[in-house]
PDB file of all heavy atoms in Angstrom:
ATOM      1  N   SER Q   6      16.489  -3.991 -51.200  1.00  0.00           N
ATOM      2  CA  SER Q   6      17.289  -4.934 -50.416  1.00  0.00           C
ATOM      3  C   SER Q   6      18.611  -5.266 -51.118  1.00  0.00           C
ATOM      4  O   SER Q   6      19.644  -5.446 -50.464  1.00  0.00           O
ATOM      5  CB  SER Q   6      16.510  -6.220 -50.142  1.00  0.00           C
ATOM      6  OG  SER Q   6      16.148  -6.840 -51.364  1.00  0.00           O
ATOM      7  N   ALA Q   7      18.580  -5.307 -52.436  1.00  0.00           N
ATOM      8  CA  ALA Q   7      19.800  -5.567 -53.199  1.00  0.00           C
ATOM      9  C   ALA Q   7      20.771  -4.404 -53.086  1.00  0.00           C
ATOM     10  O   ALA Q   7      21.989  -4.589 -53.021  1.00  0.00           O
ATOM     11  CB  ALA Q   7      19.459  -5.844 -54.656  1.00  0.00           C
ATOM     12  N   LYS Q   8      20.207  -3.167 -53.050  1.00  0.00           N
ATOM     13  CA  LYS Q   8      21.056  -1.987 -52.862  1.00  0.00           C
ATOM     14  C   LYS Q   8      21.740  -2.028 -51.509  1.00  0.00           C
ATOM     15  O   LYS Q   8      22.923  -1.707 -51.376  1.00  0.00           O
ATOM     16  CB  LYS Q   8      20.224  -0.714 -52.998  1.00  0.00           C
ATOM     17  CG  LYS Q   8      19.763  -0.407 -54.389  1.00  0.00           C
ATOM     18  CD  LYS Q   8      18.914   0.844 -54.425  1.00  0.00           C
ATOM     19  CE  LYS Q   8      18.377   1.102 -55.817  1.00  0.00           C
ATOM     20  NZ  LYS Q   8      17.486   2.249 -55.868  1.00  0.00           N
ATOM     21  N   LYS Q   9      20.988  -2.447 -50.503  1.00  0.00           N
ATOM     22  CA  LYS Q   9      21.542  -2.538 -49.152  1.00  0.00           C
ATOM     23  C   LYS Q   9      22.650  -3.596 -49.116  1.00  0.00           C
ATOM     24  O   LYS Q   9      23.697  -3.380 -48.512  1.00  0.00           O
ATOM     25  CB  LYS Q   9      20.443  -2.886 -48.158  1.00  0.00           C
ATOM     26  CG  LYS Q   9      20.935  -2.996 -46.727  1.00  0.00           C
ATOM     27  CD  LYS Q   9      19.823  -3.312 -45.764  1.00  0.00           C
ATOM     28  CE  LYS Q   9      20.360  -3.475 -44.373  1.00  0.00           C
ATOM     29  NZ  LYS Q   9      19.290  -3.816 -43.416  1.00  0.00           N
ATOM     30  N   ARG Q  10      22.415  -4.737 -49.744  1.00  0.00           N
ATOM     31  CA  ARG Q  10      23.419  -5.798 -49.792  1.00  0.00           C
ATOM     32  C   ARG Q  10      24.701  -5.297 -50.463  1.00  0.00           C
ATOM     33  O   ARG Q  10      25.807  -5.625 -50.041  1.00  0.00           O
ATOM     34  CB  ARG Q  10      22.908  -7.031 -50.541  1.00  0.00           C
ATOM     35  CG  ARG Q  10      21.834  -7.791 -49.847  1.00  0.00           C
ATOM     36  CD  ARG Q  10      22.179  -8.156 -48.436  1.00  0.00           C
ATOM     37  NE  ARG Q  10      22.633  -9.519 -48.346  1.00  0.00           N
ATOM     38  CZ  ARG Q  10      23.391  -9.969 -47.364  1.00  0.00           C
ATOM     39  NH1 ARG Q  10      23.807  -9.179 -46.420  1.00  0.00           N
ATOM     40  NH2 ARG Q  10      23.744 -11.215 -47.310  1.00  0.00           N
ATOM     41  N   LEU Q  11      24.543  -4.496 -51.502  1.00  0.00           N
ATOM     42  CA  LEU Q  11      25.705  -3.935 -52.196  1.00  0.00           C
ATOM     43  C   LEU Q  11      26.491  -3.021 -51.267  1.00  0.00           C
ATOM     44  O   LEU Q  11      27.719  -3.089 -51.212  1.00  0.00           O
ATOM     45  CB  LEU Q  11      25.258  -3.181 -53.448  1.00  0.00           C
ATOM     46  CG  LEU Q  11      26.378  -2.611 -54.304  1.00  0.00           C
ATOM     47  CD1 LEU Q  11      27.237  -3.714 -54.896  1.00  0.00           C
ATOM     48  CD2 LEU Q  11      25.817  -1.740 -55.400  1.00  0.00           C
ATOM     49  N   ARG Q  12      25.770  -2.169 -50.525  1.00  0.00           N
ATOM     50  CA  ARG Q  12      26.435  -1.269 -49.571  1.00  0.00           C
ATOM     51  C   ARG Q  12      27.181  -2.070 -48.513  1.00  0.00           C
ATOM     52  O   ARG Q  12      28.334  -1.779 -48.182  1.00  0.00           O
ATOM     53  CB  ARG Q  12      25.415  -0.359 -48.877  1.00  0.00           C
ATOM     54  CG  ARG Q  12      24.884   0.754 -49.709  1.00  0.00           C
ATOM     55  CD  ARG Q  12      24.169   1.808 -48.862  1.00  0.00           C
ATOM     56  NE  ARG Q  12      23.196   1.287 -47.933  1.00  0.00           N
ATOM     57  CZ  ARG Q  12      21.899   1.083 -48.195  1.00  0.00           C
ATOM     58  NH1 ARG Q  12      21.445   1.366 -49.411  1.00  0.00           N
ATOM     59  NH2 ARG Q  12      21.071   0.619 -47.286  1.00  0.00           N
ATOM     60  N   GLN Q  13      26.532  -3.117 -47.993  1.00  0.00           N
ATOM     61  CA  GLN Q  13      27.155  -3.943 -46.961  1.00  0.00           C
ATOM     62  C   GLN Q  13      28.392  -4.649 -47.507  1.00  0.00           C
ATOM     63  O   GLN Q  13      29.431  -4.713 -46.839  1.00  0.00           O
ATOM     64  CB  GLN Q  13      26.169  -4.975 -46.438  1.00  0.00           C
ATOM     65  CG  GLN Q  13      25.073  -4.395 -45.579  1.00  0.00           C
ATOM     66  CD  GLN Q  13      24.040  -5.444 -45.185  1.00  0.00           C
ATOM     67  OE1 GLN Q  13      23.838  -6.430 -45.894  1.00  0.00           O
ATOM     68  NE2 GLN Q  13      23.404  -5.220 -44.051  1.00  0.00           N
ATOM     69  N   ALA Q  14      28.265  -5.183 -48.708  1.00  0.00           N
ATOM     70  CA  ALA Q  14      29.379  -5.902 -49.322  1.00  0.00           C
ATOM     71  C   ALA Q  14      30.581  -4.979 -49.521  1.00  0.00           C
ATOM     72  O   ALA Q  14      31.726  -5.367 -49.254  1.00  0.00           O
ATOM     73  CB  ALA Q  14      28.953  -6.516 -50.646  1.00  0.00           C
ATOM     74  N   ARG Q  15      30.313  -3.757 -49.986  1.00  0.00           N
ATOM     75  CA  ARG Q  15      31.417  -2.804 -50.193  1.00  0.00           C
ATOM     76  C   ARG Q  15      32.089  -2.427 -48.880  1.00  0.00           C
ATOM     77  O   ARG Q  15      33.316  -2.315 -48.804  1.00  0.00           O
ATOM     78  CB  ARG Q  15      30.905  -1.551 -50.894  1.00  0.00           C
ATOM     79  CG  ARG Q  15      30.673  -1.775 -52.370  1.00  0.00           C
ATOM     80  CD  ARG Q  15      30.246  -0.514 -53.056  1.00  0.00           C
ATOM     81  NE  ARG Q  15      30.131  -0.734 -54.502  1.00  0.00           N
ATOM     82  CZ  ARG Q  15      29.425   0.033 -55.300  1.00  0.00           C
ATOM     83  NH1 ARG Q  15      28.798   1.085 -54.834  1.00  0.00           N
ATOM     84  NH2 ARG Q  15      29.370  -0.235 -56.585  1.00  0.00           N
ATOM     85  N   ALA Q  16      31.293  -2.236 -47.847  1.00  0.00           N
ATOM     86  CA  ALA Q  16      31.852  -1.870 -46.544  1.00  0.00           C
ATOM     87  C   ALA Q  16      32.694  -3.019 -45.992  1.00  0.00           C
ATOM     88  O   ALA Q  16      33.809  -2.798 -45.506  1.00  0.00           O
ATOM     89  CB  ALA Q  16      30.727  -1.537 -45.572  1.00  0.00           C
ATOM     90  N   ARG Q  17      32.188  -4.238 -46.084  1.00  0.00           N
ATOM     91  CA  ARG Q  17      32.938  -5.401 -45.590  1.00  0.00           C
ATOM     92  C   ARG Q  17      34.208  -5.618 -46.390  1.00  0.00           C
ATOM     93  O   ARG Q  17      35.250  -5.963 -45.841  1.00  0.00           O
ATOM     94  CB  ARG Q  17      32.063  -6.656 -45.648  1.00  0.00           C
ATOM     95  CG  ARG Q  17      31.030  -6.698 -44.568  1.00  0.00           C
ATOM     96  CD  ARG Q  17      30.411  -8.083 -44.459  1.00  0.00           C
ATOM     97  NE  ARG Q  17      29.240  -7.997 -43.611  1.00  0.00           N
ATOM     98  CZ  ARG Q  17      27.990  -8.076 -44.033  1.00  0.00           C
ATOM     99  NH1 ARG Q  17      27.735  -8.270 -45.314  1.00  0.00           N
ATOM    100  NH2 ARG Q  17      26.989  -7.990 -43.196  1.00  0.00           N
ATOM    101  N   ASN Q  18      34.096  -5.418 -47.702  1.00  0.00           N
ATOM    102  CA  ASN Q  18      35.244  -5.584 -48.585  1.00  0.00           C
ATOM    103  C   ASN Q  18      36.367  -4.628 -48.182  1.00  0.00           C
ATOM    104  O   ASN Q  18      37.536  -5.022 -48.113  1.00  0.00           O
ATOM    105  CB  ASN Q  18      34.809  -5.336 -50.024  1.00  0.00           C
ATOM    106  CG  ASN Q  18      35.837  -5.777 -51.027  1.00  0.00           C
ATOM    107  OD1 ASN Q  18      37.014  -5.473 -50.879  1.00  0.00           O
ATOM    108  ND2 ASN Q  18      35.388  -6.473 -52.048  1.00  0.00           N
ATOM    109  N   ALA Q  19      36.010  -3.386 -47.894  1.00  0.00           N
ATOM    110  CA  ALA Q  19      37.014  -2.399 -47.500  1.00  0.00           C
ATOM    111  C   ALA Q  19      37.667  -2.792 -46.177  1.00  0.00           C
ATOM    112  O   ALA Q  19      38.893  -2.700 -46.026  1.00  0.00           O
ATOM    113  CB  ALA Q  19      36.367  -1.032 -47.379  1.00  0.00           C
ATOM    114  N   LEU Q  20      36.865  -3.239 -45.211  1.00  0.00           N
ATOM    115  CA  LEU Q  20      37.391  -3.661 -43.919  1.00  0.00           C
ATOM    116  C   LEU Q  20      38.322  -4.860 -44.075  1.00  0.00           C
ATOM    117  O   LEU Q  20      39.418  -4.879 -43.508  1.00  0.00           O
ATOM    118  CB  LEU Q  20      36.235  -4.059 -43.001  1.00  0.00           C
ATOM    119  CG  LEU Q  20      35.927  -3.164 -41.834  1.00  0.00           C
ATOM    120  CD1 LEU Q  20      34.706  -3.648 -41.092  1.00  0.00           C
ATOM    121  CD2 LEU Q  20      37.112  -3.033 -40.918  1.00  0.00           C
ATOM    122  N   ASN Q  21      37.849  -5.848 -44.826  1.00  0.00           N
ATOM    123  CA  ASN Q  21      38.659  -7.056 -45.023  1.00  0.00           C
ATOM    124  C   ASN Q  21      39.968  -6.736 -45.714  1.00  0.00           C
ATOM    125  O   ASN Q  21      41.008  -7.309 -45.382  1.00  0.00           O
ATOM    126  CB  ASN Q  21      37.880  -8.094 -45.845  1.00  0.00           C
ATOM    127  CG  ASN Q  21      36.745  -8.711 -45.053  1.00  0.00           C
ATOM    128  OD1 ASN Q  21      36.695  -8.610 -43.834  1.00  0.00           O
ATOM    129  ND2 ASN Q  21      35.821  -9.317 -45.760  1.00  0.00           N
ATOM    130  N   ARG Q  22      39.928  -5.822 -46.682  1.00  0.00           N
ATOM    131  CA  ARG Q  22      41.141  -5.474 -47.425  1.00  0.00           C
ATOM    132  C   ARG Q  22      42.182  -4.866 -46.496  1.00  0.00           C
ATOM    133  O   ARG Q  22      43.363  -5.223 -46.556  1.00  0.00           O
ATOM    134  CB  ARG Q  22      40.809  -4.514 -48.567  1.00  0.00           C
ATOM    135  CG  ARG Q  22      41.932  -4.419 -49.579  1.00  0.00           C
ATOM    136  CD  ARG Q  22      41.619  -3.509 -50.759  1.00  0.00           C
ATOM    137  NE  ARG Q  22      40.346  -3.798 -51.397  1.00  0.00           N
ATOM    138  CZ  ARG Q  22      39.360  -2.907 -51.522  1.00  0.00           C
ATOM    139  NH1 ARG Q  22      39.498  -1.678 -51.064  1.00  0.00           N
ATOM    140  NH2 ARG Q  22      38.249  -3.230 -52.134  1.00  0.00           N
ATOM    141  N   THR Q  23      41.753  -3.968 -45.617  1.00  0.00           N
ATOM    142  CA  THR Q  23      42.705  -3.340 -44.692  1.00  0.00           C
ATOM    143  C   THR Q  23      43.266  -4.351 -43.704  1.00  0.00           C
ATOM    144  O   THR Q  23      44.458  -4.336 -43.416  1.00  0.00           O
ATOM    145  CB  THR Q  23      42.069  -2.164 -43.935  1.00  0.00           C
ATOM    146  OG1 THR Q  23      40.914  -2.631 -43.242  1.00  0.00           O
ATOM    147  CG2 THR Q  23      41.676  -1.050 -44.860  1.00  0.00           C
ATOM    148  N   GLN Q  24      42.406  -5.238 -43.220  1.00  0.00           N
ATOM    149  CA  GLN Q  24      42.880  -6.251 -42.270  1.00  0.00           C
ATOM    150  C   GLN Q  24      43.853  -7.221 -42.916  1.00  0.00           C
ATOM    151  O   GLN Q  24      44.855  -7.611 -42.322  1.00  0.00           O
ATOM    152  CB  GLN Q  24      41.697  -7.005 -41.656  1.00  0.00           C
ATOM    153  CG  GLN Q  24      40.930  -6.170 -40.664  1.00  0.00           C
ATOM    154  CD  GLN Q  24      39.743  -6.901 -40.082  1.00  0.00           C
ATOM    155  OE1 GLN Q  24      39.420  -8.015 -40.495  1.00  0.00           O
ATOM    156  NE2 GLN Q  24      39.096  -6.278 -39.134  1.00  0.00           N
ATOM    157  N   ARG Q  25      43.556  -7.610 -44.147  1.00  0.00           N
ATOM    158  CA  ARG Q  25      44.446  -8.532 -44.870  1.00  0.00           C
ATOM    159  C   ARG Q  25      45.795  -7.882 -45.154  1.00  0.00           C
ATOM    160  O   ARG Q  25      46.854  -8.511 -45.039  1.00  0.00           O
ATOM    161  CB  ARG Q  25      43.781  -8.996 -46.150  1.00  0.00           C
ATOM    162  CG  ARG Q  25      44.276 -10.334 -46.613  1.00  0.00           C
ATOM    163  CD  ARG Q  25      43.487 -10.868 -47.795  1.00  0.00           C
ATOM    164  NE  ARG Q  25      42.294 -11.569 -47.352  1.00  0.00           N
ATOM    165  CZ  ARG Q  25      41.053 -11.293 -47.755  1.00  0.00           C
ATOM    166  NH1 ARG Q  25      40.833 -10.328 -48.595  1.00  0.00           N
ATOM    167  NH2 ARG Q  25      40.039 -11.991 -47.319  1.00  0.00           N
ATOM    168  N   ALA Q  26      45.769  -6.595 -45.481  1.00  0.00           N
ATOM    169  CA  ALA Q  26      47.008  -5.854 -45.736  1.00  0.00           C
ATOM    170  C   ALA Q  26      47.843  -5.750 -44.462  1.00  0.00           C
ATOM    171  O   ALA Q  26      49.064  -5.920 -44.496  1.00  0.00           O
ATOM    172  CB  ALA Q  26      46.693  -4.464 -46.291  1.00  0.00           C
TER     173      ALA Q  26
END
Side-chain angles (χ1 to χ4, degrees):
S6 60
K8 288 178 184 176
K9 180 179 178 181
R10 290 309 260 157
L11 183 65
R12 285 195 311 271
Q13 288 175 332
R15 284 183 176 160
R17 285 193 192 107
N18 193 313
L20 250 176
N21 289 343
R22 195 178 310 121
T23 57
Q24 287 179 354
R25 206 173 275 125

